[in-house]
Amino acid sequence: MVATGEVDEGAFSNEAVYGVLPKRPPLPTLIRAPCHSALEQPAVVPLSLAEQGDYNTALDLAYFWTERVDPEKLSSSLSEALALYPCCAGRFVEREVLVEPSTGFTTKETRICILCNNAGASFSSKCCDGKRPPIIGPLTGLFDRAVGVSANAEAAGPPILRVKLLDYEDGQILALSFSQGLADVAGIGMFLQAWSKIYHSQDPGFPSD
């Protein structure tokens, strides 16, 4: 027998019976570079042959500081940094590109590329109870991990750069997860330096500096 009828809004509000339902974490926001025109032809950046196999492996970095930063200012400065590093707001795609192997002849090959279409980097901020965790790792739930990223022709995949700002009693943690095909640790460090300078109203310089 199937019971039908409306359920009262407070039917599950008795904490003594049902316990306290966990609150859902805030959904990430997609941060895009400013002044992007859909009429512009987005650049396509092919990955090297060595990067083709593990391009969607996630790399995680976490930074801790005791002085508070403003989440809104952090997200707006991230937007400006993405204008300097458009690959960080792009998506993985498969494309036929011209390559020049060791033979010296230019040929066409299907490769994994980053389409710089300004689809956005993921950003979220959250206030946390207590002090920062003593152990920081991929299994702690700290990172919004950039995993399961697969290339496709339509560039409809998820962000290849994901950022979380976690606010604890004793400071803040900036947790980044990015796909290995986007950059190595040294490369993402250059992006973070530019982002930091923009946040502090300094000239970030050019990515080639």
Side-chain angles (χ1 to χ4, degrees), residues 5 13 20 27 29 37 68 80 86 111-112 114 117 131-132 140 164 182 190 198-199:
S13 62
V20 180
L27 293 176
T29 301
S37 172
R68 296 295 195 275
E80 295 183 46
R111 286 197 177 182
I112 305 297
I114 298 178
N117 58 351
K131 296 183 178 181
R132 65 186 175 101
T140 60
K164 287 175 69 175
L182 172 63
M190 296 173 61
I198 293 171
Y199 179 88

Side-chain angles (χ1 to χ4, degrees), residues 64-78:
F64 172 77
W65 51 74
T66 55
E67 294 184 5
R68 296 295 195 275
V69 298
D70 178 21
E72 290 189 9
K73 185 178 178 182
L74 195 66
S75 63
S76 63
S77 57
L78 173 59

Side-chain angles (χ1 to χ4, degrees), residues 25-94:
L27 293 176
T29 301
L30 285 177
I31 305 297
R32 297 179 172 89
C35 303
H36 177 78
S37 172
L39 300 178
E40 296 176 1
Q41 186 69 23
V44 175
V45 181
L47 303 188
S48 68
L49 197 59
E51 296 169 325
Q52 298 292 304
D54 55 0
Y55 70 94
N56 61 350
T57 301
L59 299 176
D60 301 323
L61 286 175
Y63 296 89
F64 172 77
W65 51 74
T66 55
E67 294 184 5
R68 296 295 195 275
V69 298
D70 178 21
E72 290 189 9
K73 185 178 178 182
L74 195 66
S75 63
S76 63
S77 57
L78 173 59
S79 173
E80 295 183 46
L82 293 174
L84 296 176
Y85 292 82
C87 283
C88 292
R91 295 293 185 270
F92 287 128
V93 294
E94 288 184 347

Side-chain angles (χ1 to χ4, degrees), residues 75-162:
S75 63
S76 63
S77 57
L78 173 59
S79 173
E80 295 183 46
L82 293 174
L84 296 176
Y85 292 82
C87 283
C88 292
R91 295 293 185 270
F92 287 128
V93 294
E94 288 184 347
R95 290 286 189 271
E96 277 196 346
V97 294
L98 294 174
V99 297
E100 188 173 334
S102 57
T103 56
F105 296 98
T106 302
T107 59
K108 269 191 175 182
E109 289 184 9
T110 300
R111 286 197 177 182
I112 305 297
C113 307
I114 298 178
L115 179 66
C116 301
N117 58 351
N118 200 27
S122 172
F123 179 84
S124 63
S125 61
K126 178 184 177 183
C127 292
C128 305
D129 296 330
K131 296 183 178 181
R132 65 186 175 101
I135 299 176
I136 297 175
L139 300 181
T140 60
L142 192 69
F143 299 93
D144 180 15
R145 303 202 76 203
V147 295
V149 181
S150 58
N152 57 77
E154 293 78 23
I160 58 180
L161 172 64
R162 300 169 185 252

Side-chain angles (χ1 to χ4, degrees), residues 188-200:
I188 209 71
M190 296 173 61
F191 168 76
L192 291 174
Q193 286 181 4
W195 183 10
S196 175
K197 288 181 178 179
I198 293 171
Y199 179 88
H200 292 97

